[in-house]
Amino acid sequence: MGQFDEEGLRWLGFLGVYSGRKVEGERGGNIGLQTFESGEGSTETRVSDQIRGGEEEISTVWTGGGGRQSGRMAVVGNTLELEVDYFSTQGASVRKLEKEFGNKLGNERSNAYPAVTRGSCIYKYFPTADERLLEYDIDKVVYEQRSQFQKILIVHSRSLGNLLLLDDLQNLSESDLIYTETLMQRGKENYRGKEIVILGGGDGALLHELLKEEPKYVVMIEIDELVMKAAAKYLRSCCGDVLDTLKGDNYEIVVDDCVNVLNTYIQQGKSFDYIFGDLTDIPISSNPQGETWDFIRSILSLSMEVLKPEGKYMTHGNGASCPDSLKMFERQLTSLKVPVEFSKCKAFVPSFMEDWVFYQIWKKN
């Protein structure tokens, strides 16, 4: 594959709805497909309109100029879908293209999608919890490594600051204090003099904010030391200096699997006032089966065993756009050996670009 410049390969598309014209065909779905291509430097793209069985041609003047264009056209119901690929350093106006085709088709309404960049060395596209595509104003890659556990990526966004992604999922940005404050229910929970465990939390943000609340002692258990090293250098506005050392006056960081450490605490008879599950998101799945669900159930069960009678387990769930998965998680809470009650809340997290749901869980009296 050839090399692309920063503009990369762009994709354009729009939808046009025919005005009073019905597409005829023997079956539903895509009943026609036409492809087209114009050569380098061409200023006119002609698309043969034989989808409706007619002989007329739809043609448009391509005003972007200087590039090579190709694409496809398909009809679904009464809707014409046109996709255009082009490579041009001068760019092209999708809005003008939409208008020109719309006028020729006599469509009642149409919609132009923003161009999508392909072949760029800068990551710009990441999903919402329910798999909708988001484009970020990312202008550079700050850090990229793969640990033995996951892919670690830190990019810079012009609006969010540095953004940490783990296995290509948004984790935390420099603009996400609301995530941490909602997870810890700042202003609603009293952490002064309390003993606390953080499961995960490798970006250091939760530990940094909890220490401001004057707890007695905080233990953070993180399996991936490389995440902490990256966060200590590139997310300093989130974590301060807490990741510079593994032990402070009233906290320590244990580099280990949290399941192992929780089992050790159970054997030692230790208990804590608060346990934070800052680990994986609730899976998006049709049923609560699989490795991730088993891990979540294990963490919940172990945490209840080391939680003091009046203690709380605090965790995040998933996007509010995934109610079925959230309900599935809540059903898991009712099946724990230790009866529990819970409350939940949500907050809009800037780097997620959506509302995120958080849970507070405690033993039932």
Side-chain angles (χ1 to χ4, degrees), residues 106-121:
N107 61 300
E108 293 175 342
R109 66 180 185 274
S110 61
N111 182 52
Y113 296 114
V116 175
T117 304
R118 299 174 184 159
S120 173
C121 62

Side-chain angles (χ1 to χ4, degrees), residues 135-147:
E135 180 173 1
Y136 289 74
D137 57 348
I138 291 166
D139 53 15
K140 65 179 177 179
V141 176
V142 176
Y143 176 90
E144 186 174 11
Q145 288 289 333
R146 184 174 292 279
S147 73

